[in-house]
Amino acid sequence: MTRLISLLTILFLGLAACTPTSGPGQLGADGLPLPKVYKIRGNASKLQFRMLDSVNALRSASGLSPVQLNAQLNAAAATHSRDMAAQNRPWHFGSDGSSPIDRIARAGYPGPLVGEAISETYETELETLAAWMEEPGPRGVILDPSAVNMGFAWFQEKGGKIWWTLEMGG
């Protein structure tokens, strides 16, 4: 009898080891796991300075001067992130037809616009920066030698989608 119980215990433990402990999560229409929602918490300036440090590291590696965080460009970026969410589309024009040049002027930035990078994602700011660096347009904005100031902001919807905006000024 003891031998039978031991055999059944070993068989049960063997079968238990073959059972997955957790599933793959929710799958999208493409069969791949849906992205995990990144919730932005804590002090906003920490995230902005983390992005600034990352941008300056990329610029330094390319032999370029660092940029400084600028309050007016941050304000223009924040306005545009919220506006993109309201329009539910990532694009460079505001719901009122404003361009990035219009937005930085409204925010009081005295210099010229170097460029703007935007994104709609569930990813972190550093994953978004990595994606921007893979695209020629945003990469050119981030690594433009004439840039001296940077603005960075986001808007996160309740469902987790994040609208990112990066402004570079000369």
Side-chain angles (χ1 to χ4, degrees), residues 40-81:
I40 299 173
R41 293 181 176 85
N43 191 338
S45 66
K46 285 183 183 180
L47 194 143
Q48 286 175 318
F49 282 110
R50 193 165 50 238
M51 179 61 91
L52 177 67
D53 290 344
S54 299
V55 165
N56 281 333
L58 292 167
R59 290 178 62 83
S60 176
S62 296
L64 299 170
S65 300
V67 293
Q68 301 295 317
L69 208 54
N70 178 276
Q72 289 94 357
L73 291 177
N74 284 343
T79 298
H80 192 54
S81 292

Side-chain angles (χ1 to χ4, degrees), residues 142-165:
I142 293 164
L143 298 180
D144 191 303
S146 67
V148 294
N149 292 305
M150 181 185 100
F152 178 68
W154 61 93
F155 177 76
Q156 186 163 31
E157 296 177 355
K158 289 182 186 194
K161 185 189 289 186
I162 308 168
W163 301 85
W164 303 102
T165 305

Side-chain angles (χ1 to χ4, degrees):
M1 184 68 160
T2 306
R3 185 181 267 179
L4 180 61
I5 292 174
S6 297
L7 184 59
L8 288 174
T9 302
I10 291 171
L11 182 62
F12 174 74
L13 291 174
L15 287 173
C18 295
T19 306
T21 56
S22 65
Q26 252 186 326
L27 299 179
D30 57 2
L32 297 174
L34 290 173
K36 184 178 177 188
V37 175
Y38 171 63
K39 287 287 188 184
I40 299 173
R41 293 181 176 85
N43 191 338
S45 66
K46 285 183 183 180
L47 194 143
Q48 286 175 318
F49 282 110
R50 193 165 50 238
M51 179 61 91
L52 177 67
D53 290 344
S54 299
V55 165
N56 281 333
L58 292 167
R59 290 178 62 83
S60 176
S62 296
L64 299 170
S65 300
V67 293
Q68 301 295 317
L69 208 54
N70 178 276
Q72 289 94 357
L73 291 177
N74 284 343
T79 298
H80 192 54
S81 292
R82 185 173 289 278
D83 191 46
M84 285 190 298
Q87 296 180 70
N88 196 32
R89 63 178 170 180
W91 75 323
H92 294 282
F93 294 95
S95 56
D96 62 356
S98 62
S99 71
I101 294 170
D102 297 329
R103 287 191 299 278
I104 69 166
R106 284 182 196 160
Y109 184 71
L113 175 74
V114 170
E116 178 179 75
I118 58 172
S119 182
E120 156 197 29
T121 184
Y122 291 92
E123 298 175 330
T124 68
E125 69 282 357
L126 298 181
E127 290 170 310
T128 301
L129 178 59
W132 283 338
M133 291 302 288
E134 294 293 321
E135 296 296 323
R139 180 184 177 85
V141 168
I142 293 164
L143 298 180
D144 191 303
S146 67
V148 294
N149 292 305
M150 181 185 100
F152 178 68
W154 61 93
F155 177 76
Q156 186 163 31
E157 296 177 355
K158 289 182 186 194
K161 185 189 289 186
I162 308 168
W163 301 85
W164 303 102
T165 305
L166 179 134
E167 307 283 359
M168 296 295 266

